[in-house]
Amino acid sequence: MANITKKVSWSSRADDSAAAAAAAGEGTPLLNGSEQPRSFRQHAAGGSLFQIGRLTTVELEEEVTADEDSLRGQAREIPHTEKLLSLKYESLDYDNIENQLFLEEERRMSHMSFRCLEISRWVVCGLIGLLTGLIACFIDIAVETLAGLKYEVIRRNIENFTETGGLSISLILWVGFNAAVVMLGSILVACFEPIAGGSGIPQIKCYLNGVKIPRVVRLKTLVIKVFGVICSVVGGLAVGKEGPMIHSGAVVAAGVSQGRSTSLKRDFKMFEYFRRDTEKRDFVSAGAAAGVSAAFGAPVGGVLFSLEEGASFWNQMLTWRIFFASMISTFTLNFVLSVYHKKPGQLSNPGLINFGRFEIESLEYSFYEIPLFIAMGAIGGLLGALFNFLNYWLTIFRIRYVHRPCLQVMEAMLVAAVTATVSFTMIYFSTDCQPLAPENSEEYPLQLFCADGEYNAMATAFFNTPERSVRSLFHNQPGSYNPLTLGLFTLTYFFLACWTYGLAVSAGVFIPSLLIGAAWGRLCGILLASISSSGSLWADPGKYALIGAAAQLGGIVRMTLSLTVIMVEATGNVTYGLPIMLVLMTAKIVGDYFIEGLYDIHIKLQSVPFLHWEAPATSHWLTAREVMSSPVTCLNRIEKVGTIVDTLSNTSTNHNGFPVVMQVAGNDEPAKLCGLILRSQLIVLLKHKVFVELARSRLTQRKLQLKDFRDAYPRFPPIQSIHVSQDERECMMDLSEFMNPTPYTVPQDTSLPRVFKLFRALGLRHLVVVDDENRVIGLVTRKDLARYHLGKHGLEELQLAQT
Amino acid sequence: MANITKKVSWSSRADDSAAAAAAAGEGTPLLNGSEQPRSFRQHAAGGSLFQIGRLTTVELEEEVTADEDSLRGQAREIPHTEKLLSLKYESLDYDNIENQLFLEEERRMSHMSFRCLEISRWVVCGLIGLLTGLIACFIDIAVETLAGLKYEVIRRNIENFTETGGLSISLILWVGFNAAVVMLGSILVACFEPIAGGSGIPQIKCYLNGVKIPRVVRLKTLVIKVFGVICSVVGGLAVGKEGPMIHSGAVVAAGVSQGRSTSLKRDFKMFEYFRRDTEKRDFVSAGAAAGVSAAFGAPVGGVLFSLEEGASFWNQMLTWRIFFASMISTFTLNFVLSVYHKKPGQLSNPGLINFGRFEIESLEYSFYEIPLFIAMGAIGGLLGALFNFLNYWLTIFRIRYVHRPCLQVMEAMLVAAVTATVSFTMIYFSTDCQPLAPENSEEYPLQLFCADGEYNAMATAFFNTPERSVRSLFHNQPGSYNPLTLGLFTLTYFFLACWTYGLAVSAGVFIPSLLIGAAWGRLCGILLASISSSGSLWADPGKYALIGAAAQLGGIVRMTLSLTVIMVEATGNVTYGLPIMLVLMTAKIVGDYFIEGLYDIHIKLQSVPFLHWEAPATSHWLTAREVMSSPVTCLNRIEKVGTIVDTLSNTSTNHNGFPVVMQVAGNDEPAKLCGLILRSQLIVLLKHKVFVELARSRLTQRKLQLKDFRDAYPRFPPIQSIHVSQDERECMMDLSEFMNPTPYTVPQDTSLPRVFKLFRALGLRHLVVVDDENRVIGLVTRKDLARYHLGKHGLEELQLAQT
């Protein structure tokens, strides 16, 4: 019972700092501290003696949990600020647990079995690419068909009523249809799987960063995501269908690579070796890349996206497999769509979004245009920062007040109705009539009040799926739009898109950003042409539309390298590499000066312990001793079952990793570190009752194998579901065989950047801090590192909260 | 003197295994063991007592060194086999030495100074890109001008003599000119800087992998490389000017980032912060990327090349800077060449090699062509393997017998003469006359025996710089070549290129590979067109030339992802992404079945301790205890100067890192690890006489700063050049302030893959193995890890040798 005394919450520091903050009367108060019974504060109030006593029986604990659950239903007004770090997220474990079982298995495996494993990894990646591509096809075809139907019906209706004068009926039809479809999508998301909302890119970024976001890679999420995005786009919201593809690809990867579906309760007995965090995360990066690839026809961009977001350790074979998945994905999409469009073999649809083919002549640029591009980048950065700023406040508002599903659905319907109304009004009052040229490829030309043989230019922007509008802005002949139309469109669409992102619908922000940028970019091009004397110089506003689109997208999402490559691949031409890079870089620098990127804002508002690339530059004076959590709950190499159950049941700490120590018999010295064991492993051990006494009495008992751990992965049962009798509590458990015998350790004087580097490069979950006698003095986890960040006044520390 | 007893060579194991190998009479005998006096064997023969006694005075040691140097001149017949691992290469240290000086400096730095540092990193990258681009321009313009002159003169000469019948004079002129120019290039390389030979890609791969290749990033190497490559290409060898650009970029980066030139003895007092391995290696990756970018107009490909070869830890900001350097490089090249070609602003020369513009129609491919592409990939893999196999034997032959500069120059001249002769013969006997169309863009059309208005098709392939030949094969009209011409050309050029690679000239293998591939690829296209009934289907042999080029290049160099992107970027069109990837993958799989890639072969033949991505799959049963070198020479925290001098002077071990241990006073327990110090640091300390006694007597003495270490970087003086008097030998040195107090450690039971992962991910140079009392029991270095590799019969261990 040596370590019972050590059972003090890791959160003790957060507790202190929260108390200090409250005392000083500054900062955001930790509202949840008083509202949420789960938080550490109430336990702490009971004093540590009570706490320890309370935990000696599991029954009592279960009661408390039930209590808490009933209370939790009420406390939904979660205070969100970016100054908090949530304790509810767990880490993925990218480090292999090299326990005896694992080593034995690896030793048994021949060279040939490793080959087979490698081949099955390739097969899995191929499947990921194939399925992701097929999902993209499904979304594309569904959206095109349904949106086509919708626009056709409404267009006919408008045409009918233009002369007779009942256009308000058309408006009602349009608004009603949009609101209904969006309601459907929103109900799916808000009531069944909130995690499927939004683009999913922030969630996937977090997952690849190593944070376990609950339910993010489940089958249910995928299904709701797919149908949700179809509803959003068909419902005419200012959204794109591309962002969600990345999430979809990731879910496909997580599913396929495990060879089973826990939701469907089917186990295909395949790929069992891949049932652990390390392998799964690798496949999820491949899936995300396949998603990007299918969305933008950008396989290389997809690989770069995955690497930029996820892979802290670059491995050549892994990269190559990711690339393979991406290629298969874009190829599948291309092939199926070519068959669907009845041009089999003509592979001209590499991605969901198709920027269309830029004429080589129109793409050439001159040296003196580069400053103009940079200026446009700066504009994009400014507008992007404004967008993010507005969305930031909107999101905080939503978190505070719009958190009930019915409210969320209603908001989504409201946005849908407003979008349709605004669009209609803009089109109605627009006087920008353009001749309907024979080569003009407008899908749904609206004549409205224009003369015969002409169409309403505003309608090409509003009365269309966003993808088509982007393409029109890039490629329509010079003169297709007049400047006023573009200006008004930019203005309204900017606010609509900003309002839309963050609604409880699944939808991406890529295409709206591109659309806003393309509109003002084209406007810039037209203005430049009008102020310069020789009109031929700036003949092509489409070029400026492209640059504007890049600038706006860069200003909003700030994805840098992968974004450059995605844009270049989507245009299908490498000529524009340098300008696009310059523009994106300028947009990023300008935007970063004001506010972070959109995805980062949303990650911060979720209080996710996200690890950046490096420790803050000025953090060299912090050492592991100051950063670590301590004291640590340690377990003995041979430990009493009761102690283990109590430790696991301790909801106030909820530890996931326990250093295993060895007490030298008859020696009073503190125990030395000899391994590390995870909660999940202990749960499996308890479930299978791997007790020393039982092993002695039942010699024939089957030895626990790695397979048992894999079967339980990833949904390990909670400790409350495991029944341990009072007799069994007196048994002993030998952890030697199951613990990781060589956990990574650092001495206590190690500087934070050094700890950070080790932690990040190896994707660790727990890093043990030892003194020079190899005794455990602390544990560094993701939260301890993510807490520090560089604020305006130097290094700042985030507060931990149980949100 | 506690650790004097520990002074046993790390190489003891190598010694044993070598002895064992010799005893068993198997394997390649370690010839150098008996021939090279520097090797450990002779010292070992003297017994350890003699060894220790011998090293007590520095003077004696210097004498011995002089002896050795004179002997070294003779022992040049180095036995090379890929089963050896040389001990002569040192590691780069990617890990920061976080000693007190460093931490103090970092703490003194404000947030602003870190910003400035970041900005200067960008400036350096910009400069790297700019200079690399300019060098590429210089090479391009020089080659074009000189080659143009040469071909014009010879063409006139041939035309003159075609009718009069003295063509043998033309032949002699051609052969003579080529041989003379190649002689010049070869003398430069062979006599002045052998490391400048070849493409430099294997060397840069090693450098980025973390191996310090002597003299590889010096200014002299760059100058010789640039002039050498001009001579090689102008001399008509079957080489390209692209590969060497990567090396050039790397040298530029290493030079610019240090803000000084040790060769020119100029210090600009800039960028002093970057004078350490970590920063320098980051910049060298940027330089290599800029080189690729300038060579192929492939900025993204360049970034991927750098990452694939070098950056084990992917960092977003670093990647972004690398990309910036690449972009600037290709842009500079583009801009300068556009001015040179008198079309300023028309940026159409992104790289040295220009594949020309593929017509979009001709690039489209159908689904059923994919199996054909894969088959061509397999052919490329086979031919590549054959190429590598021949070159492997040739290289071994060269290492054994052609190692004197004069022989090397003669061989190069011979190859030049043979190349010219063969070309002439082929052209002479060719009967493939093609009409000289007006749109035909042949630079030097040779009429020879063709009718008026016709030209010799064989001459477009042979009588041209290889870059132009590739372009002609890609783009010339169908029917420009007849199959026999292409077949003969492929055959002869294959052997010429194979013979050429590895000569003592600086030259790349990219373009010859592309050329061979383009020739047989075009041949495939023509044959396919002739066997299929409808000629229009396979109308464009240029497409097959492209695929063939990719297949051949992939079969020879096997660079996978970056190569795909380079090819895609060089064609300027993303449509061909999937076929190129499939082809390269097939070529790699097929080729790898037989033999490694060309660069890997050359790296192995140099016995470089190259670390691959992962430890061999079946190495889980090996632990750190078995892998490490032991016993280790440790130093005390406060150590006698004499002991340090003796340790450093010990040439039989030549250690570079020393664990620092602390003996608890009055305690007999073994000492505990408390830090790690490098040879280079000790040298600086000795040079500045940082002794405890002196510090006491001269209180005003300036404290040693980080600057002193930076000034000495990277060419630290040898220990022999530092004079330590007998009195000073009795002084003490306090290492606490200078050692790295928190070196990474692993317990002795850690498995090899785990050690490997830590070592590779963090770019370590020394990894201390400790027992559970934190006592040093061994040291893992690069050589200990690189020794293990997966052979045909499972895990194999390479022998260490002092070559």
Side-chain angles (χ1 to χ4, degrees), chain A residues 290-301:
Chain A
V292 175
S293 176
F296 303 98
V300 178

Side-chain angles (χ1 to χ4, degrees), chain A residues 408-546:
Chain A
Q408 290 175 336
V409 172
M410 278 166 63
E411 197 201 359
M413 285 172 69
L414 178 67
V415 175
V418 169
T419 307
T421 314
V422 168
S423 307
F424 189 85
T425 320
M426 298 291 286
I427 296 172
Y428 187 82
F429 288 108
S430 164
T431 53
D432 183 8
C433 292
Q434 299 288 346
L436 199 60
E439 82 275 13
N440 201 307
S441 60
E442 290 309 317
E443 202 75 5
Y444 321 109
L446 268 189
Q447 189 183 347
L448 220 63
F449 304 119
C450 293
D452 282 350
E454 290 193 333
Y455 69 98
N456 188 312
M458 186 64 100
T460 56
F462 270 123
F463 196 70
N464 226 331
T465 56
E467 284 84 4
R468 282 184 196 277
S469 308
V470 172
R471 223 157 41 233
S472 308
L473 285 168
F474 284 169
H475 297 294
N476 276 5
Q477 291 301 309
S480 305
Y481 298 89
N482 80 39
L484 186 67
T485 309
L486 289 174
L488 281 173
F489 176 76
T490 305
L491 199 70
T492 48
Y493 209 80
F494 182 88
F495 290 107
L496 285 176
C498 189
W499 191 9
T500 310
Y501 189 78
L503 282 182
V505 296
S506 59
V509 75
F510 263 84
I511 299 300
S513 310
L514 288 176
L515 189 48
I516 298 166
W520 64 256
R522 200 174 170 104
L523 184 62
C524 288
I526 294 173
L527 295 180
L528 279 173
S530 68
I531 54 168
S532 72
S533 50
S534 60
S536 69
L537 253 179
W538 321 87
D540 190 25
K543 179 165 69 175
Y544 289 90
L546 176 65

Side-chain angles (χ1 to χ4, degrees), chain A residues 682-795:
Chain A
L682 290 173
I683 296 263
V684 174
L685 293 182
L686 285 175
K687 204 174 138 200
H688 287 85
K689 307 213 181 295
V690 188
F691 307 145
V692 177
E693 285 78 4
L694 293 183
R696 276 183 206 145
S697 60
R698 284 182 285 165
L699 278 173
T700 52
Q701 196 190 15
R702 187 178 68 89
K703 202 167 156 264
L704 206 63
Q705 282 181 324
L706 221 49
K707 191 179 173 308
D708 299 300
F709 292 93
R710 284 184 188 143
D711 283 347
Y713 179 85
R715 303 193 196 172
F716 296 100
I719 179 70
Q720 287 81 12
S721 73
I722 292 169
H723 185 76
V724 179
S725 72
Q726 205 62 37
D727 281 354
E728 284 171 342
R729 285 179 63 85
E730 296 303 316
C731 290
M732 301 300 276
M733 255 166 83
D734 185 356
L735 307 178
S736 328
E737 210 176 340
F738 309 105
M739 68 186 187
N740 181 355
T742 53
Y744 291 110
T745 61
V746 284
Q748 49 184 335
D749 293 326
T750 316
S751 72
L752 174 60
R754 208 170 164 80
V755 173
F756 198 99
K757 201 177 154 198
L758 181 67
F759 201 89
R760 185 78 163 85
L762 299 178
L764 299 184
R765 187 172 174 187
H766 301 100
L767 181 60
V768 186
V769 182
V770 293
D771 66 5
D772 62 354
E773 295 276 340
N774 207 28
R775 287 176 302 219
V776 181
I777 57 167
L779 202 58
V780 174
T781 60
R782 170 173 287 268
K783 288 136 200 160
D784 300 312
L785 297 178
R787 265 186 310 150
Y788 297 95
H789 79 124
L790 214 54
K792 275 173 194 158
H793 312 290
L795 203 64

